[in-house]
Amino acid sequence: MTSRREALARQRKAAGHSQEGLAAVLGVDRSTVARWESGITTPHPGQRTALAQALHITRDQLEALLHQRLRTPNRRTVLAGGGALAATALALPVIGSHDLRRILDVIQDARHRVGESTLEYCDRALDAAAADDGLYGPGSALPGVLGVLAVITDTGRQARPAHRIPLLRVGVRGAELAAWFYRDLGHPGAAEQWRDQAIAWARQSEEPTLEAYVLLRRAQAAWDTRDGATMITLSTTVLDRRWGLPAHVRAEALQQQARGQALVGQPVSRISRTLDRAAGLLASSDGSGSLSQHYGRSLFALQAALCHAEAGRAAHAVDLYAEHLNPQAFSHRDHAYLSSLHALALVDAGYPEKACEAALKALPVAQEVGSKRTVAELARLPERLRPWRNRSVVRDTVQELTLAAR
């Protein structure tokens, strides 16, 4: 794709630095430099003096380079390049003028690929978006996914059935990713639109397991509003054997069912039995198939912790978090979200100071990556901290979390 800050990249090369070399001088990751040059992020003020010195320019010259970008295409240009689905994308929240170039770049890049099929290109682009989301958040990854979805829509409309069906299967994954990103960005209505699209494509793709997978993701999304009844209904539907889902996906569905059971107040014994069934399925699984590849032992343990916390077993949940919440096992964003739930379990178990510590570590990451879902979980904490409101660390934490939730 074309760099948004080409002049900045040229100045780096003129100063004799590769991206890796400049990153080493500044003490940042290479991907950080790449994101500055692509226009996804901007160096914060504390980094700019050192950056200007490394590039052998003045601070004013650096500011000019940071604001010098390629002309942003207007919406008419994107619509012409992306077709009907691009129009749908632009009507949804979050996408602004700074994202239009990235959407159009994806569309144009797919059309000019040499030696690579559209299917391969889209699949690889979605892998990159998923990785980008974990590191930098949904706002960074969303435009690329919307570009891929525009490509799939336009290409699929003209393709023969033998080529269209595999493309739609990739489209299901892309639409579900878009739904996930909108969910994390705090736009549930847009997320539902993309899940509806994913369901429609799944039914056309002659792959029943894909439809069941989207229903599972819909059950998971019901957690955000603590809608236990919907979680139970959808996960029960997913567990129907007609779908032919692999064992680890059925294990995830059982776990969602257990979370729903906890939310509606079913007995702890029943919730534990459901979790035991899920654990047995997960242990018997060889992890084959393309669905829920992220779902492993650590994530299972932390999802089980949510169930125990909601069922009134906060101390047991805290033990599970202590054992399995490892920053090396989860993405930057996911670790922050799980830490917000850890904070809620800690306060319910009677550890307010530890809850505050966990929350204050999660909050800046959530703000950095734009995870409204994490901020919303943290917003539940002040009310639970009320019994300890006279402690200074609690007062300070409540104030910070309250400001963040506005």
Side-chain angles (χ1 to χ4, degrees), residues 161 165 168-169 200-210:
I165 288 175
L168 289 180
R169 290 172 182 169
W201 279 343
R203 289 173 177 168
Q204 295 173 50
S205 73
E206 303 177 3
E207 183 86 37
T209 56
L210 290 177

Side-chain angles (χ1 to χ4, degrees), residues 173-207:
R173 179 189 173 207
E176 178 50 44
L177 267 180
W180 164 254
F181 296 159
Y182 272 116
R183 176 189 172 196
D184 204 23
L185 287 163
H187 294 280
E192 275 301 294
Q193 289 186 51
W194 283 114
R195 284 196 197 92
D196 288 344
Q197 180 66 72
I199 289 285
W201 279 343
R203 289 173 177 168
Q204 295 173 50
S205 73
E206 303 177 3
E207 183 86 37

Side-chain angles (χ1 to χ4, degrees), residues 204-226:
Q204 295 173 50
S205 73
E206 303 177 3
E207 183 86 37
T209 56
L210 290 177
E211 182 178 349
Y213 181 71
V214 178
L215 291 175
L216 178 58
R217 299 277 74 81
R218 187 166 273 167
Q220 185 185 57
W223 162 259
D224 294 345
T225 55
R226 299 307 193 261

